[in-house]
Amino acid sequence: LAKTTQPISMDSYEGQEVNITCSHNNIATNDYITWYQQFPSQGPRFIIQGYKTKVTNEVASLFIPADRKSSTLSLPRVSLSDTAVYYCLVGAQVRMDSSYKLIFGSGTRLLVRP
Amino acid sequence: DSGVTQTPKHLITATGQRVTLRCSPRSGDLSVYWYQQSLDQGLQFLIQYYNGEERAKGNILERFSAQQFPDLHSELNLSSLELGDSALYFCASSGTSGRQETQYFGPGTRLLVL
């Protein structure tokens, strides 16, 4: 599984757009990029997943450049409730019943201030 | 609500004891994963089961074991407990999309070993 590098922490203010970048230089051809959010004492929650270019859902956008060696999670107009740890993961499942485990790095601690 | 349930929510026990943590995956999901999250080590993958069979092992101690039953629920057994086993234990489940799959995490079981 590709190793990922993210900033340890970020600060923002309510209403701002937050962009968290993740580096994954060794991403493989069949790897997808997935972001999870975790609040204290809760299980990680899936935010968004993408393979290339741009993906957008009701929560966030994910930008992936052509070389796929990095990705940026964009959270529009953050609120206090977006304060959490955000994890970037890359990996792929080889077969339908293949083993697939998520390797969580340290993540990025986002603090949203009023 | 991810659809993954875990019981109990909290567990307090003494060193040397044995406990069993239970997980019910989302309806239709065949894979179950167990993770341990302690303050100093972040989220660590322990083990994965797919349709009743062990598929992948991570940093799981020999004192720990797991199984997945025909109804697809899973149990994680922790024995000869030590103080360092105090942590949050998460279960996650996923389906069989054939590509990198989203894992849905349960609320976790907080284990305190005294």
Side-chain angles (χ1 to χ4, degrees):
Chain A
L1 294 172
K3 177 179 168 59
T4 61
T5 303
Q6 312 175 224
I8 294 175
S9 63
M10 293 182 69
D11 280 15
S12 183
Y13 291 91
E14 278 191 295
Q16 289 189 333
E17 178 184 75
V18 171
N19 296 308
I20 306 175
T21 297
C22 177
S23 297
H24 29 80
N25 292 319
N26 296 322
I27 189 168
T29 303
N30 56 349
D31 282 348
Y32 281 74
I33 300 155
T34 311
W35 286 80
Y36 283 81
Q37 174 194 55
Q38 187 179 25
F39 298 113
S41 298
Q42 294 186 26
R45 184 176 72 102
F46 170 85
I47 301 176
I48 197 166
Q49 183 180 86
Y51 183 81
K52 61 181 179 180
T53 63
K54 177 184 174 182
V55 179
T56 297
N57 61 22
E58 65 278 5
V59 177
S61 293
L62 178 59
F63 298 92
I64 306 168
D67 65 6
R68 304 200 328 121
K69 293 184 183 298
S70 66
S71 59
T72 299
L73 173 71
S74 181
L75 305 173
R77 298 178 298 283
V78 294
S79 62
L80 296 177
S81 63
D82 292 318
T83 293
V85 179
Y86 292 82
Y87 296 97
C88 163
L89 298 96
V90 297
Q93 186 168 1
V94 177
R95 306 191 310 270
M96 288 287 289
D97 62 347
S98 177
S99 63
Y100 181 72
K101 56 190 178 188
L102 292 179
I103 306 298
F104 285 83
S106 301
T108 297
R109 292 185 177 275
L110 173 64
L111 174 61
V112 180
R113 303 177 187 273
Chain B
D1 184 1
S2 66
V4 177
T5 60
Q6 291 186 248
T7 57
K9 287 186 179 179
H10 303 276
L11 199 50
I12 301 176
T13 188
T15 56
Q17 295 298 305
R18 170 191 168 94
V19 297
T20 297
L21 313 183
R22 183 188 169 101
C23 168
S24 292
R26 292 189 319 154
S27 177
D29 281 358
L30 299 179
S31 280
V32 169
Y33 309 76
W34 286 98
Y35 293 83
Q36 178 192 56
Q37 186 171 40
S38 53
L39 283 176
D40 59 347
Q41 291 195 5
L43 267 163
Q44 300 285 327
F45 168 76
L46 295 178
I47 196 165
Q48 178 209 357
Y49 278 82
Y50 174 86
N51 204 19
E53 294 186 6
E54 182 184 303
R55 271 291 179 262
K57 264 188 174 180
N59 302 318
I60 189 166
L61 300 172
E62 286 191 7
R63 300 184 284 110
F64 296 180
S65 65
Q67 54 183 331
Q68 186 179 27
F69 295 87
D71 66 352
L72 300 178
H73 91 271
S74 177
E75 292 181 355
L76 179 66
N77 301 298
L78 315 177
S79 61
S80 302
L81 285 167
E82 302 175 358
L83 296 178
D85 297 327
S86 295
L88 265 169
Y89 290 85
F90 291 106
C91 163
S93 74
S94 67
T96 55
S97 67
R99 63 171 177 82
Q100 181 174 322
E101 295 179 353
T102 299
Q103 292 190 12
Y104 295 88
F105 285 77
T109 293
R110 183 175 292 278
L111 173 67
L112 180 59
V113 181
L114 300 176

Short mmCIF file of all heavy atoms in Angstrom, two decimals, chain A residues 50-109:
data_model
loop_
_atom_site.label_atom_id
_atom_site.label_comp_id
_atom_site.label_asym_id
_atom_site.label_seq_id
_atom_site.Cartn_x
_atom_site.Cartn_y
_atom_site.Cartn_z
N GLY A 50 -11.84 8.88 -4.81
CA GLY A 50 -11.66 9.20 -6.22
C GLY A 50 -10.48 8.48 -6.82
O GLY A 50 -9.64 7.91 -6.09
N TYR A 51 -10.42 8.51 -8.13
CA TYR A 51 -9.31 7.88 -8.85
C TYR A 51 -8.50 8.93 -9.61
O TYR A 51 -7.27 8.91 -9.56
CB TYR A 51 -9.83 6.81 -9.81
CG TYR A 51 -8.72 6.08 -10.53
CD1 TYR A 51 -8.05 5.05 -9.89
CD2 TYR A 51 -8.34 6.42 -11.82
CE1 TYR A 51 -7.01 4.36 -10.52
CE2 TYR A 51 -7.31 5.75 -12.47
CZ TYR A 51 -6.66 4.72 -11.81
OH TYR A 51 -5.63 4.07 -12.44
N LYS A 52 -9.17 9.82 -10.29
CA LYS A 52 -8.46 10.88 -11.00
C LYS A 52 -9.38 12.09 -11.17
O LYS A 52 -10.58 12.01 -10.90
CB LYS A 52 -7.97 10.41 -12.35
CG LYS A 52 -9.07 9.98 -13.30
CD LYS A 52 -8.48 9.52 -14.62
CE LYS A 52 -9.59 9.07 -15.57
NZ LYS A 52 -9.04 8.61 -16.86
N THR A 53 -8.83 13.18 -11.56
CA THR A 53 -9.47 14.48 -11.81
C THR A 53 -10.20 14.97 -10.56
O THR A 53 -9.59 15.19 -9.55
CB THR A 53 -10.40 14.42 -13.04
OG1 THR A 53 -11.46 13.48 -12.81
CG2 THR A 53 -9.62 14.02 -14.26
N LYS A 54 -11.52 15.16 -10.67
CA LYS A 54 -12.24 15.77 -9.57
C LYS A 54 -13.49 14.97 -9.24
O LYS A 54 -14.20 14.50 -10.12
CB LYS A 54 -12.63 17.20 -9.94
CG LYS A 54 -13.45 17.93 -8.87
CD LYS A 54 -13.88 19.31 -9.35
CE LYS A 54 -14.82 19.98 -8.36
NZ LYS A 54 -15.29 21.30 -8.83
N VAL A 55 -13.72 14.83 -7.95
CA VAL A 55 -14.93 14.19 -7.47
C VAL A 55 -15.59 15.13 -6.48
O VAL A 55 -14.89 15.73 -5.66
CB VAL A 55 -14.61 12.84 -6.78
CG1 VAL A 55 -15.90 12.19 -6.27
CG2 VAL A 55 -13.88 11.91 -7.74
N THR A 56 -16.87 15.25 -6.55
CA THR A 56 -17.59 16.12 -5.61
C THR A 56 -18.82 15.41 -5.09
O THR A 56 -19.52 14.73 -5.85
CB THR A 56 -18.01 17.43 -6.31
OG1 THR A 56 -16.85 18.13 -6.73
CG2 THR A 56 -18.80 18.32 -5.36
N ASN A 57 -19.04 15.54 -3.80
CA ASN A 57 -20.29 15.06 -3.23
C ASN A 57 -20.88 16.15 -2.34
O ASN A 57 -20.40 17.30 -2.38
CB ASN A 57 -20.10 13.73 -2.49
CG ASN A 57 -19.13 13.83 -1.32
OD1 ASN A 57 -18.90 14.91 -0.78
ND2 ASN A 57 -18.56 12.70 -0.95
N GLU A 58 -21.85 15.82 -1.56
CA GLU A 58 -22.54 16.84 -0.78
C GLU A 58 -21.69 17.36 0.38
O GLU A 58 -22.03 18.37 0.99
CB GLU A 58 -23.87 16.29 -0.24
CG GLU A 58 -23.73 15.16 0.75
CD GLU A 58 -23.52 13.80 0.09
OE1 GLU A 58 -23.39 13.77 -1.15
OE2 GLU A 58 -23.48 12.80 0.82
N VAL A 59 -20.60 16.69 0.66
CA VAL A 59 -19.78 17.05 1.81
C VAL A 59 -18.47 17.73 1.40
O VAL A 59 -18.03 18.68 2.05
CB VAL A 59 -19.44 15.80 2.65
CG1 VAL A 59 -18.53 16.15 3.79
CG2 VAL A 59 -20.72 15.15 3.16
N ALA A 60 -17.84 17.22 0.35
CA ALA A 60 -16.50 17.69 0.01
C ALA A 60 -16.22 17.50 -1.47
O ALA A 60 -17.00 16.91 -2.20
CB ALA A 60 -15.47 16.91 0.84
N SER A 61 -15.05 18.01 -1.86
CA SER A 61 -14.53 17.78 -3.20
C SER A 61 -13.14 17.18 -3.07
O SER A 61 -12.42 17.47 -2.10
CB SER A 61 -14.47 19.08 -4.00
OG SER A 61 -15.76 19.58 -4.26
N LEU A 62 -12.79 16.38 -4.03
CA LEU A 62 -11.47 15.75 -4.04
C LEU A 62 -10.83 16.06 -5.39
O LEU A 62 -11.40 15.74 -6.43
CB LEU A 62 -11.60 14.25 -3.84
CG LEU A 62 -10.31 13.43 -3.87
CD1 LEU A 62 -9.35 13.91 -2.79
CD2 LEU A 62 -10.63 11.95 -3.68
N PHE A 63 -9.66 16.70 -5.33
CA PHE A 63 -8.94 17.06 -6.54
C PHE A 63 -7.71 16.18 -6.68
O PHE A 63 -6.90 16.09 -5.75
CB PHE A 63 -8.53 18.54 -6.49
CG PHE A 63 -9.69 19.48 -6.40
CD1 PHE A 63 -10.18 19.90 -5.17
CD2 PHE A 63 -10.31 19.95 -7.56
CE1 PHE A 63 -11.27 20.77 -5.09
CE2 PHE A 63 -11.38 20.81 -7.49
CZ PHE A 63 -11.86 21.23 -6.25
N ILE A 64 -7.57 15.56 -7.83
CA ILE A 64 -6.45 14.66 -8.07
C ILE A 64 -5.79 15.08 -9.39
O ILE A 64 -6.42 15.01 -10.44
CB ILE A 64 -6.93 13.20 -8.16
CG1 ILE A 64 -7.72 12.83 -6.90
CG2 ILE A 64 -5.74 12.25 -8.34
CD1 ILE A 64 -8.48 11.52 -7.02
N PRO A 65 -4.52 15.50 -9.33
CA PRO A 65 -3.85 15.92 -10.56
C PRO A 65 -3.57 14.72 -11.45
O PRO A 65 -3.71 13.57 -11.04
CB PRO A 65 -2.56 16.55 -10.04
CG PRO A 65 -2.32 15.91 -8.73
CD PRO A 65 -3.67 15.62 -8.16
N ALA A 66 -3.13 15.02 -12.66
CA ALA A 66 -2.94 13.97 -13.65
C ALA A 66 -1.92 12.91 -13.22
O ALA A 66 -2.09 11.72 -13.49
CB ALA A 66 -2.51 14.58 -14.98
N ASP A 67 -0.87 13.31 -12.51
CA ASP A 67 0.14 12.33 -12.11
C ASP A 67 -0.29 11.51 -10.87
O ASP A 67 0.38 10.56 -10.51
CB ASP A 67 1.49 12.99 -11.86
CG ASP A 67 1.47 13.95 -10.67
OD1 ASP A 67 0.46 14.03 -9.96
OD2 ASP A 67 2.49 14.64 -10.46
N ARG A 68 -1.34 11.91 -10.23
CA ARG A 68 -1.95 11.22 -9.09
C ARG A 68 -1.00 11.07 -7.90
O ARG A 68 -1.26 10.27 -6.99
CB ARG A 68 -2.48 9.85 -9.51
CG ARG A 68 -3.46 9.92 -10.63
CD ARG A 68 -4.37 8.72 -10.81
NE ARG A 68 -3.81 7.45 -10.45
CZ ARG A 68 -4.33 6.65 -9.52
NH1 ARG A 68 -5.43 7.02 -8.85
NH2 ARG A 68 -3.77 5.49 -9.25
N LYS A 69 0.05 11.82 -7.86
CA LYS A 69 1.00 11.68 -6.75
C LYS A 69 0.58 12.49 -5.53
O LYS A 69 1.25 12.47 -4.50
CB LYS A 69 2.40 12.11 -7.21
CG LYS A 69 3.00 11.17 -8.25
CD LYS A 69 4.41 11.58 -8.60
CE LYS A 69 4.98 10.68 -9.69
NZ LYS A 69 5.07 9.27 -9.27
N SER A 70 -0.51 13.20 -5.65
CA SER A 70 -1.05 13.92 -4.51
C SER A 70 -2.55 14.06 -4.72
O SER A 70 -3.06 13.79 -5.81
CB SER A 70 -0.41 15.31 -4.37
OG SER A 70 -0.78 16.13 -5.46
N SER A 71 -3.22 14.46 -3.66
CA SER A 71 -4.64 14.74 -3.77
C SER A 71 -4.98 15.81 -2.74
O SER A 71 -4.26 15.96 -1.74
CB SER A 71 -5.48 13.49 -3.56
OG SER A 71 -5.23 12.91 -2.29
N THR A 72 -6.04 16.54 -3.00
CA THR A 72 -6.45 17.60 -2.09
C THR A 72 -7.92 17.44 -1.74
O THR A 72 -8.77 17.41 -2.63
CB THR A 72 -6.21 18.99 -2.71
OG1 THR A 72 -4.83 19.15 -2.98
CG2 THR A 72 -6.68 20.09 -1.75
N LEU A 73 -8.18 17.34 -0.47
CA LEU A 73 -9.55 17.31 0.04
C LEU A 73 -9.97 18.74 0.29
O LEU A 73 -9.28 19.48 0.99
CB LEU A 73 -9.63 16.52 1.34
CG LEU A 73 -10.97 16.54 2.07
CD1 LEU A 73 -12.00 15.71 1.29
CD2 LEU A 73 -10.84 16.02 3.49
N SER A 74 -11.07 19.15 -0.28
CA SER A 74 -11.56 20.51 -0.10
C SER A 74 -12.89 20.48 0.64
O SER A 74 -13.84 19.83 0.21
CB SER A 74 -11.73 21.19 -1.46
OG SER A 74 -12.19 22.52 -1.30
N LEU A 75 -12.92 21.19 1.77
CA LEU A 75 -14.14 21.30 2.57
C LEU A 75 -14.65 22.74 2.44
O LEU A 75 -13.99 23.67 2.91
CB LEU A 75 -13.85 20.98 4.03
CG LEU A 75 -13.20 19.64 4.32
CD1 LEU A 75 -12.82 19.54 5.80
CD2 LEU A 75 -14.15 18.51 3.95
N PRO A 76 -15.78 22.94 1.79
CA PRO A 76 -16.27 24.30 1.59
C PRO A 76 -16.96 24.84 2.84
O PRO A 76 -17.69 24.13 3.51
CB PRO A 76 -17.29 24.14 0.46
CG PRO A 76 -17.79 22.75 0.61
CD PRO A 76 -16.65 21.93 1.17
N ARG A 77 -16.68 26.07 3.17
CA ARG A 77 -17.37 26.76 4.27
C ARG A 77 -17.47 25.89 5.52
O ARG A 77 -18.56 25.45 5.91
CB ARG A 77 -18.76 27.20 3.82
CG ARG A 77 -18.74 28.20 2.67
CD ARG A 77 -20.14 28.57 2.25
NE ARG A 77 -20.90 27.42 1.77
CZ ARG A 77 -20.76 26.87 0.57
NH1 ARG A 77 -19.88 27.37 -0.28
NH2 ARG A 77 -21.50 25.85 0.22
N VAL A 78 -16.34 25.65 6.15
CA VAL A 78 -16.33 24.76 7.31
C VAL A 78 -17.08 25.39 8.48
O VAL A 78 -17.18 26.61 8.62
CB VAL A 78 -14.89 24.40 7.73
CG1 VAL A 78 -14.22 23.57 6.66
CG2 VAL A 78 -14.07 25.66 8.05
N SER A 79 -17.57 24.50 9.34
CA SER A 79 -18.22 24.93 10.56
C SER A 79 -17.48 24.30 11.75
O SER A 79 -16.59 23.48 11.55
CB SER A 79 -19.69 24.50 10.58
OG SER A 79 -19.77 23.09 10.54
N LEU A 80 -17.86 24.70 12.94
CA LEU A 80 -17.20 24.17 14.14
C LEU A 80 -17.28 22.64 14.18
O LEU A 80 -16.37 21.98 14.66
CB LEU A 80 -17.84 24.76 15.40
CG LEU A 80 -17.72 26.26 15.59
CD1 LEU A 80 -18.46 26.69 16.86
CD2 LEU A 80 -16.26 26.69 15.64
N SER A 81 -18.36 22.09 13.65
CA SER A 81 -18.55 20.64 13.69
C SER A 81 -17.64 19.89 12.73
O SER A 81 -17.63 18.66 12.74
CB SER A 81 -20.01 20.30 13.38
OG SER A 81 -20.34 20.72 12.06
N ASP A 82 -16.90 20.60 11.93
CA ASP A 82 -15.93 19.96 11.04
C ASP A 82 -14.59 19.72 11.73
O ASP A 82 -13.68 19.14 11.14
CB ASP A 82 -15.71 20.80 9.78
CG ASP A 82 -16.94 20.83 8.88
OD1 ASP A 82 -17.57 19.75 8.71
OD2 ASP A 82 -17.29 21.92 8.37
N THR A 83 -14.46 20.17 12.96
CA THR A 83 -13.26 19.90 13.73
C THR A 83 -13.14 18.41 13.95
O THR A 83 -14.01 17.78 14.56
CB THR A 83 -13.31 20.64 15.09
OG1 THR A 83 -13.26 22.05 14.87
CG2 THR A 83 -12.15 20.22 15.97
N ALA A 84 -12.07 17.83 13.42
CA ALA A 84 -11.91 16.37 13.43
C ALA A 84 -10.53 16.03 12.90
O ALA A 84 -9.76 16.91 12.51
CB ALA A 84 -12.99 15.71 12.56
N VAL A 85 -10.24 14.75 12.87
CA VAL A 85 -9.02 14.26 12.22
C VAL A 85 -9.41 13.71 10.85
O VAL A 85 -10.40 12.98 10.72
CB VAL A 85 -8.33 13.16 13.04
CG1 VAL A 85 -7.08 12.67 12.32
CG2 VAL A 85 -7.96 13.70 14.42
N TYR A 86 -8.65 14.09 9.84
CA TYR A 86 -8.92 13.66 8.47
C TYR A 86 -7.78 12.78 7.98
O TYR A 86 -6.61 13.16 8.04
CB TYR A 86 -9.10 14.89 7.56
CG TYR A 86 -10.34 15.66 7.91
CD1 TYR A 86 -10.34 16.58 8.96
CD2 TYR A 86 -11.53 15.45 7.21
CE1 TYR A 86 -11.49 17.26 9.31
CE2 TYR A 86 -12.68 16.14 7.55
CZ TYR A 86 -12.65 17.04 8.60
OH TYR A 86 -13.80 17.71 8.95
N TYR A 87 -8.15 11.60 7.50
CA TYR A 87 -7.17 10.63 7.04
C TYR A 87 -7.27 10.45 5.53
O TYR A 87 -8.36 10.32 4.97
CB TYR A 87 -7.42 9.27 7.69
CG TYR A 87 -7.26 9.22 9.18
CD1 TYR A 87 -8.36 9.34 10.02
CD2 TYR A 87 -6.02 9.01 9.76
CE1 TYR A 87 -8.23 9.26 11.39
CE2 TYR A 87 -5.87 8.94 11.14
CZ TYR A 87 -6.98 9.06 11.95
OH TYR A 87 -6.85 8.99 13.31
N CYS A 88 -6.11 10.40 4.91
CA CYS A 88 -6.00 10.10 3.49
C CYS A 88 -5.44 8.69 3.35
O CYS A 88 -4.45 8.35 4.00
CB CYS A 88 -5.05 11.12 2.84
SG CYS A 88 -4.40 10.66 1.23
N LEU A 89 -6.08 7.86 2.55
CA LEU A 89 -5.61 6.50 2.34
C LEU A 89 -5.61 6.18 0.86
O LEU A 89 -6.47 6.63 0.12
CB LEU A 89 -6.51 5.50 3.06
CG LEU A 89 -6.58 5.63 4.57
CD1 LEU A 89 -7.80 6.46 4.98
CD2 LEU A 89 -6.66 4.27 5.23
N VAL A 90 -4.64 5.40 0.45
CA VAL A 90 -4.65 4.90 -0.92
C VAL A 90 -4.50 3.39 -0.89
O VAL A 90 -3.88 2.82 -0.01
CB VAL A 90 -3.51 5.53 -1.76
CG1 VAL A 90 -3.69 7.03 -1.88
CG2 VAL A 90 -2.16 5.19 -1.20
N GLY A 91 -5.12 2.73 -1.83
CA GLY A 91 -5.03 1.28 -1.88
C GLY A 91 -6.05 0.73 -2.85
O GLY A 91 -6.94 1.43 -3.31
N ALA A 92 -5.95 -0.56 -3.09
CA ALA A 92 -6.86 -1.19 -4.05
C ALA A 92 -7.12 -2.62 -3.61
O ALA A 92 -6.35 -3.23 -2.88
CB ALA A 92 -6.26 -1.17 -5.45
N GLN A 93 -8.20 -3.15 -4.07
CA GLN A 93 -8.53 -4.53 -3.82
C GLN A 93 -8.22 -5.31 -5.08
O GLN A 93 -8.69 -4.95 -6.15
CB GLN A 93 -10.00 -4.67 -3.44
CG GLN A 93 -10.39 -6.05 -3.03
CD GLN A 93 -11.78 -6.07 -2.41
OE1 GLN A 93 -12.42 -5.05 -2.32
NE2 GLN A 93 -12.22 -7.22 -1.98
N VAL A 94 -7.44 -6.35 -4.94
CA VAL A 94 -6.98 -7.07 -6.12
C VAL A 94 -8.06 -8.00 -6.66
O VAL A 94 -8.33 -8.05 -7.84
CB VAL A 94 -5.71 -7.87 -5.80
CG1 VAL A 94 -5.26 -8.67 -7.00
CG2 VAL A 94 -4.61 -6.93 -5.34
N ARG A 95 -8.68 -8.72 -5.76
CA ARG A 95 -9.73 -9.65 -6.18
C ARG A 95 -11.00 -9.36 -5.39
O ARG A 95 -10.95 -8.68 -4.40
CB ARG A 95 -9.32 -11.09 -5.92
CG ARG A 95 -8.01 -11.51 -6.50
CD ARG A 95 -7.86 -13.03 -6.39
NE ARG A 95 -8.13 -13.52 -5.07
CZ ARG A 95 -7.21 -13.63 -4.11
NH1 ARG A 95 -5.99 -13.25 -4.35
NH2 ARG A 95 -7.52 -14.12 -2.93
N MET A 96 -12.07 -9.93 -5.82
CA MET A 96 -13.35 -9.69 -5.15
C MET A 96 -13.28 -10.09 -3.68
O MET A 96 -13.81 -9.42 -2.83
CB MET A 96 -14.46 -10.50 -5.84
CG MET A 96 -14.85 -9.96 -7.18
SD MET A 96 -15.81 -8.45 -7.02
CE MET A 96 -17.34 -9.07 -6.37
N ASP A 97 -12.61 -11.21 -3.42
CA ASP A 97 -12.55 -11.69 -2.04
C ASP A 97 -11.16 -11.52 -1.46
O ASP A 97 -10.80 -12.18 -0.52
CB ASP A 97 -12.97 -13.15 -1.97
CG ASP A 97 -12.04 -14.05 -2.77
OD1 ASP A 97 -11.23 -13.52 -3.56
OD2 ASP A 97 -12.10 -15.26 -2.59
N SER A 98 -10.41 -10.61 -2.02
CA SER A 98 -9.03 -10.44 -1.58
C SER A 98 -8.98 -9.72 -0.25
O SER A 98 -9.91 -9.05 0.15
CB SER A 98 -8.25 -9.65 -2.62
OG SER A 98 -6.93 -9.41 -2.18
N SER A 99 -7.86 -9.88 0.40
CA SER A 99 -7.67 -9.13 1.64
C SER A 99 -7.47 -7.66 1.30
O SER A 99 -6.84 -7.32 0.32
CB SER A 99 -6.44 -9.65 2.38
OG SER A 99 -5.28 -9.44 1.62
N TYR A 100 -8.03 -6.84 2.08
CA TYR A 100 -7.87 -5.41 1.88
C TYR A 100 -7.91 -4.73 3.23
O TYR A 100 -8.90 -4.80 3.94
CB TYR A 100 -8.97 -4.85 0.98
CG TYR A 100 -8.80 -3.39 0.75
CD1 TYR A 100 -7.79 -2.90 -0.05
CD2 TYR A 100 -9.62 -2.47 1.39
CE1 TYR A 100 -7.60 -1.53 -0.22
CE2 TYR A 100 -9.44 -1.11 1.23
CZ TYR A 100 -8.43 -0.66 0.41
OH TYR A 100 -8.25 0.69 0.25
N LYS A 101 -6.83 -4.14 3.58
CA LYS A 101 -6.80 -3.49 4.86
C LYS A 101 -6.45 -2.02 4.68
O LYS A 101 -5.71 -1.65 3.78
CB LYS A 101 -5.78 -4.16 5.77
CG LYS A 101 -4.38 -4.21 5.17
CD LYS A 101 -3.47 -5.10 6.00
CE LYS A 101 -2.09 -5.19 5.36
NZ LYS A 101 -1.25 -6.19 6.03
N LEU A 102 -7.02 -1.22 5.53
CA LEU A 102 -6.74 0.20 5.49
C LEU A 102 -5.57 0.50 6.41
O LEU A 102 -5.55 0.05 7.54
CB LEU A 102 -7.96 1.00 5.94
CG LEU A 102 -9.17 0.95 5.01
CD1 LEU A 102 -10.30 1.76 5.60
CD2 LEU A 102 -8.82 1.44 3.64
N ILE A 103 -4.62 1.22 5.90
CA ILE A 103 -3.49 1.65 6.71
C ILE A 103 -3.69 3.13 6.99
O ILE A 103 -3.60 3.97 6.08
CB ILE A 103 -2.14 1.43 5.98
CG1 ILE A 103 -2.02 -0.02 5.53
CG2 ILE A 103 -0.99 1.83 6.91
CD1 ILE A 103 -2.03 -1.03 6.65
N PHE A 104 -3.98 3.43 8.23
CA PHE A 104 -4.20 4.81 8.62
C PHE A 104 -2.88 5.43 9.07
O PHE A 104 -2.18 4.88 9.90
CB PHE A 104 -5.20 4.88 9.77
CG PHE A 104 -6.62 4.65 9.36
CD1 PHE A 104 -7.11 3.37 9.21
CD2 PHE A 104 -7.47 5.72 9.12
CE1 PHE A 104 -8.42 3.15 8.83
CE2 PHE A 104 -8.79 5.51 8.74
CZ PHE A 104 -9.26 4.22 8.60
N GLY A 105 -2.57 6.58 8.52
CA GLY A 105 -1.43 7.35 9.00
C GLY A 105 -1.85 8.16 10.20
O GLY A 105 -2.84 7.84 10.87
N SER A 106 -1.13 9.20 10.47
CA SER A 106 -1.43 10.04 11.63
C SER A 106 -2.60 10.97 11.37
O SER A 106 -3.20 11.50 12.29
CB SER A 106 -0.21 10.87 12.02
OG SER A 106 0.87 10.04 12.32
N GLY A 107 -2.91 11.21 10.11
CA GLY A 107 -4.03 12.08 9.77
C GLY A 107 -3.69 13.55 9.99
O GLY A 107 -2.61 13.91 10.46
N THR A 108 -4.64 14.39 9.65
CA THR A 108 -4.53 15.84 9.84
C THR A 108 -5.59 16.28 10.83
O THR A 108 -6.78 16.05 10.59
CB THR A 108 -4.74 16.59 8.51
OG1 THR A 108 -3.73 16.22 7.59
CG2 THR A 108 -4.70 18.11 8.74
N ARG A 109 -5.16 16.89 11.91
CA ARG A 109 -6.10 17.41 12.90
C ARG A 109 -6.54 18.80 12.49
O ARG A 109 -5.75 19.74 12.49
CB ARG A 109 -5.45 17.46 14.28
CG ARG A 109 -5.16 16.10 14.85
CD ARG A 109 -4.63 16.16 16.27
NE ARG A 109 -4.43 14.82 16.79
CZ ARG A 109 -5.36 14.08 17.34
NH1 ARG A 109 -6.58 14.56 17.46
NH2 ARG A 109 -5.09 12.87 17.77
#
